[in-house]
Amino acid sequence: MTILIPSYEPDVRLLNLVLQLQTFQLGPIVIVDDGSGAEYRGIFETAEAYGCTVLTHPVNLGKGCALKTGFQHIKECGPQVGVVCADSDGQHLPHDIRRIFDVLLEQTTPGIVLGSRRFSGTIPARSRFGNTVTRAVFSITTGTKVYDTQTGLRGFPYSMLDWLCQIPGDRFEYEMNMLLTAKKEGYEITEEFIDTVYLDHNKSSHFRPLVDSFRIYMPILMFSTSSVLSALIDFGLLFVIQYFTHNLFLSVVTARLCSSIFNYTINRKYVFSAGGQTSKVRQSLPKYFSLVILVLLLNYGLLYFYNEKLIIPLIAAKVLTEVSIFLFSYWAQRRFVY
């Protein structure tokens, strides 16, 4: 087994972790210095003296890049064994890293093993809030429950390294993108609960709440933007066609068809593309428009119910309808279409 530790501006806790891990004899340790600079070179030189392999980025590129640098090195130079990733700031205890190691060895099918924190005891407010929100959004939009989506303690079999190197994302969003695409690729996500450790209220964390949260939620934000633009097209055509034809069914079908063509094009090219590669039209198009038919029926049924049965004005009925099917559409497209 190989231990991979991405590190940016570490302190003595990195060296303590290395020494403790070496007592377990889990395997080689690869550390990626993500552009920490000359001030921290002594720590990395000491780690090298302890027998670790240290890879260096000349400038800070982000945790995602650091992990991919490590994966690429292990794939090319390391033993063909599994990889356990851990943080260098003391949040992951050596015995928990070993537990992930043991679970990974017991796997019968390739998948991700997460060291999930329970978030018990005294937890910094921003960490508790961030993990709660991310967990809820991830569950709603993917249909998969993961207790700790932001943990950096993760185990992977060697066979997953090619895939891990292709996942988009340079910083903290890389770890979220990994979870978002795992199920589609046939990889199961297993959680092993570990101790929750926050030292000095997590002051050593390089996570930037606004910028990095924005990156993490980017796939969902992009989908929302695409959906809003499609909804505007749908709204406009619905009222124009309804005004001239007074035929609700024709108005709904025509408006939905036009907005769906726009939505498919944007989602395929920008929202659900992985690593800059878009899905093949012959694979995704039939699935997408099968979903369109289902959503269309739901759209018409809900719109008819709100407008005709509950006597809600058409504009309000349309808004209620779109809100009702938004999350279902996102989940279905990520899970089945792209």
Side-chain angles (χ1 to χ4, degrees):
M1 196 69 62
T2 301
I3 308 297
L4 173 60
I5 305 175
S7 185
Y8 176 60
E9 298 183 350
D11 55 29
V12 70
R13 286 175 291 190
L14 171 60
L15 300 179
N16 291 337
L17 177 63
V18 168
L19 290 174
Q20 291 171 325
L21 287 174
Q22 287 178 335
T23 64
F24 288 118
Q25 298 182 335
L26 302 180
I29 299 174
V30 175
I31 299 173
V32 180
D33 170 12
D34 188 25
S36 300
E39 180 182 352
Y40 297 88
R41 187 57 200 160
I43 291 178
F44 292 107
E45 288 177 347
T46 303
E48 285 183 308
Y50 289 166
C52 300
T53 298
V54 176
L55 310 174
T56 303
H57 289 166
V59 296
N60 178 248
L61 299 177
K63 188 177 183 181
C65 281
L67 287 170
K68 284 186 273 191
T69 293
F71 291 141
Q72 188 66 37
H73 171 81
I74 294 167
K75 188 175 66 169
E76 295 175 355
C77 306
Q80 296 186 8
V81 293
V83 180
V84 176
C85 300
D87 293 340
S88 64
D89 56 5
Q91 287 197 35
H92 301 141
L93 302 179
H95 68 265
D96 284 327
I97 295 173
R98 182 171 185 172
R99 287 173 62 191
I100 302 304
F101 170 93
D102 292 337
V103 173
L104 197 59
L105 288 179
E106 295 171 359
Q107 275 189 339
T108 55
T109 56
I112 302 173
V113 180
L114 298 180
S116 296
R117 297 160 291 182
R118 295 179 183 272
F119 299 105
S120 57
T122 303
I123 307 298
R126 71 169 186 171
S127 298
R128 186 183 294 275
F129 176 78
N131 279 280
T132 299
V133 172
T134 305
R135 179 167 64 244
V137 171
F138 184 85
S139 177
I140 291 171
T141 54
T142 65
T144 301
K145 291 184 178 180
V146 173
Y147 192 81
D148 186 3
T149 59
Q150 296 179 319
T151 178
L153 181 53
R154 305 180 179 207
F156 312 95
Y158 183 85
S159 61
M160 290 180 65
L161 292 184
D162 282 333
W163 174 72
L164 289 167
C165 290
Q166 296 171 6
I167 295 171
D170 297 333
R171 297 187 180 274
F172 287 99
E173 76 279 6
Y174 170 76
E175 292 177 307
M176 175 60 78
N177 290 339
M178 183 191 300
L179 299 182
L180 287 171
T181 55
K183 194 125 188 183
K184 178 184 173 183
E185 296 296 325
Y187 297 125
E188 292 296 324
I189 300 174
T190 303
E191 292 188 271
E192 183 73 13
F193 284 108
I194 63 173
D195 293 331
T196 304
V197 179
Y198 283 107
L199 302 175
D200 297 325
H201 299 283
N202 206 25
K203 289 181 181 179
S204 63
S205 174
H206 298 289
F207 184 86
R208 299 164 295 176
L210 293 178
V211 175
D212 291 319
S213 292
F214 179 79
R215 287 176 175 271
I216 287 173
Y217 295 121
M218 178 59 76
I220 297 170
L221 292 173
M222 290 178 64
F223 180 81
S224 299
T225 301
S226 169
S227 297
V228 168
L229 293 175
S230 300
L232 291 175
I233 294 173
D234 198 23
F235 265 74
L237 290 177
L238 174 69
F239 291 112
V240 169
I241 298 171
Q242 173 72 2
Y243 176 80
F244 286 107
T245 65
H246 303 287
N247 186 319
L248 181 61
F249 183 76
L250 177 63
S251 302
V252 170
V253 171
T254 305
R256 179 60 61 173
L257 179 62
C258 294
S259 64
S260 295
I261 293 173
F262 170 82
N263 186 255
Y264 169 77
T265 304
I266 296 299
N267 285 357
R268 174 178 172 268
K269 189 171 183 180
Y270 299 108
V271 180
F272 294 109
S273 59
Q277 297 181 348
T278 56
S279 62
K280 295 180 180 180
V281 173
R282 66 176 179 272
Q283 295 176 347
S284 59
L285 188 63
K287 296 178 183 178
Y288 177 83
F289 278 97
S290 296
L291 177 63
V292 166
I293 294 173
L294 176 59
V295 170
L296 178 63
L297 294 175
L298 290 172
N299 190 282
Y300 176 74
L302 289 172
L303 193 58
Y304 178 84
F305 175 74
Y306 291 140
N307 184 232
E308 301 289 341
K309 298 299 183 181
L310 299 183
I311 318 300
I312 297 176
L314 185 59
I315 293 179
K318 182 64 174 172
V319 170
L320 287 173
T321 299
E322 293 301 327
V323 170
S324 300
I325 63 178
F326 171 80
L327 291 176
F328 167 76
S329 180
Y330 179 89
W331 172 79
Q333 287 187 53
R334 177 166 290 282
R335 184 79 178 271
F336 300 110
V337 178
Y338 300 101

